[in-house]
Amino acid sequence: MKLRTGIRFKITTLVLIVVILSVFAIGLTALYVNQGIVENRYKDTIQAVVELKSQKIESFFREISSNIQFGAKLKIVKEKVANTPFYVNPNQNLTSQTDSTFLSTDPIDLLFQEEDSTKKTEQGFSNETLSGEDENLQSIFLDLLQTYGIYNVILTDSEQRIVFVEGPMRKKNVIGRNFNDFDKDGSTISIGRDSVYFSNVFYQRDTINLYVSAPIKNDREETIGVLIYDINLDKVFNIAQDRSGLGETGYIQLTKSIINTILRLNPAPNETNAKFETNRTLINGQTQGKPLQLSAKGQSGLGFSTNHEGTEMLSAWQTVPLVDWGITVQITTEEVYSPIRTLSLYLLIAGGSIIFI
């Protein structure tokens, strides 16, 4: 009897060990395989999203670039710039103070300064009245303001003086003023005289804008002025705010490299304006927000890292070449591994049941 009991115990123990080892082996294999599947699924998703969003934003700015180059070649635009006479008050100083201001001010603060709408009209210039020629220009540019979210269309002559404006800025009596008095970038005219230029972003009241400028040339290919679009970036940020396919925690972050800092252009979900104002800049080389830094520097990649707040994220990043922006798609690792945790629970219950039986 004792012999039978001993053999039965040994057989039972052996079977139990085999079952436990089998359950653990199958469970670990299932977890490992499914973890790889889940990771790859999320990686493929955010990689596809970052490429799609980058292409959409690039396409938007390419349309703007083509449009402003076409506009700068219009005969009526060239004639307006070449034939506008000015009465200049001898006591008025048209020399721009923008360059010195830009050099002596923190560029991040300068980009986010709001325009002083109470600034008085310079002496020597009266309220703008639309002539027949200006009405023709107005009709040409009116569709642009609606189609692309352009806030103002501005023409300047070879002396950087504003000769025509369509948009809210026209109400501020700016005709004859030096555009650099309003330029929050500092290079809109200087670079726009030679080629299409996309400025740094800046706040304008409740919107975020940028300038796009292009040279206006005569028949001898001499630059006689600059055409400037003041663009409201709401359409671009609407692209970034679309979180389709990014689950509960996924979001898109746009960035711009300015000197030694990285500027976050749009807030993260549920980030208050006050918090965004405080945390919108990153220092090159800091540990947190590496993908944001790399994308703003023109690099692309995919992997796990921390965001600007230190949360573990799965990120895909690349650049928007035309405007030198970075775009990063991020989703928390907690959400990525949530299916694995659910699977682990099911395997634990199933394995325990098998061992018990």
Side-chain angles (χ1 to χ4, degrees), residues 84-92 94 122-126 157 161-163 175-177:
T84 300
F86 283 102
Y87 162 70
V88 180
N89 189 317
N91 298 321
Q92 179 184 351
L94 287 177
E122 296 283 348
Q123 286 187 340
F125 301 105
S126 60
D157 64 8
R161 292 173 299 195
I162 298 172
V163 301
I175 299 301
R177 293 275 300 280

Side-chain angles (χ1 to χ4, degrees), residues 23-41 43 336-337 339-341 343-344 347:
V23 167
F24 271 104
I26 294 171
L28 289 175
T29 301
L31 280 176
Y32 178 77
V33 171
N34 279 278
Q35 179 174 322
I37 292 173
V38 170
E39 283 185 7
N40 289 333
R41 178 167 66 85
K43 285 179 179 179
V336 170
Y337 291 123
I340 301 300
R341 287 193 293 272
L343 178 62
S344 300
L347 288 175

Side-chain angles (χ1 to χ4, degrees), residues 171-185:
K171 299 177 181 179
K172 298 181 180 180
N173 305 315
V174 298
I175 299 301
R177 293 275 300 280
N178 193 306
F179 176 76
N180 281 335
D181 291 337
F182 305 93
D183 190 5
K184 297 181 181 180
D185 176 85

Side-chain angles (χ1 to χ4, degrees), residues 237-255:
F237 289 131
N238 286 339
I239 296 174
Q241 288 169 359
D242 179 10
R243 298 164 57 197
S244 301
L246 295 179
E248 296 294 326
T249 62
Y251 65 95
I252 298 167
Q253 186 76 75
L254 299 173
T255 51

Side-chain angles (χ1 to χ4, degrees), residues 128-254:
E128 180 191 1
T129 56
L130 290 178
S131 63
E133 183 184 54
D134 288 345
E135 288 180 352
N136 291 334
L137 281 172
Q138 183 187 44
S139 64
I140 289 173
F141 291 122
L142 198 57
D143 287 341
L144 288 176
L145 273 69
Q146 300 171 349
T147 304
Y148 295 105
I150 296 177
Y151 194 66
N152 291 292
V153 177
I154 305 163
L155 297 180
T156 67
D157 64 8
S158 58
E159 300 298 323
Q160 305 180 10
R161 292 173 299 195
I162 298 172
V163 301
F164 173 83
V165 171
E166 177 53 41
M169 191 176 180
R170 181 156 58 87
K171 299 177 181 179
K172 298 181 180 180
N173 305 315
V174 298
I175 299 301
R177 293 275 300 280
N178 193 306
F179 176 76
N180 281 335
D181 291 337
F182 305 93
D183 190 5
K184 297 181 181 180
D185 176 85
S187 301
T188 304
I189 293 286
S190 59
I191 299 180
R193 289 178 58 86
D194 301 316
S195 61
V196 175
Y197 174 67
F198 291 88
S199 78
N200 290 313
V201 299
F202 57 89
Y203 275 130
Q204 187 156 278
R205 299 303 167 205
D206 297 326
T207 64
I208 299 180
N209 292 34
L210 63 69
Y211 292 126
V212 184
S213 54
I216 301 170
K217 297 185 178 182
N218 59 19
D219 296 337
R220 297 187 298 275
E221 289 300 306
E222 299 169 337
T223 299
I224 58 174
V226 176
L227 173 60
I228 301 165
Y229 291 169
D230 175 7
I231 299 180
N232 182 326
L233 293 176
D234 282 351
K235 288 183 178 292
V236 174
F237 289 131
N238 286 339
I239 296 174
Q241 288 169 359
D242 179 10
R243 298 164 57 197
S244 301
L246 295 179
E248 296 294 326
T249 62
Y251 65 95
I252 298 167
Q253 186 76 75
L254 299 173

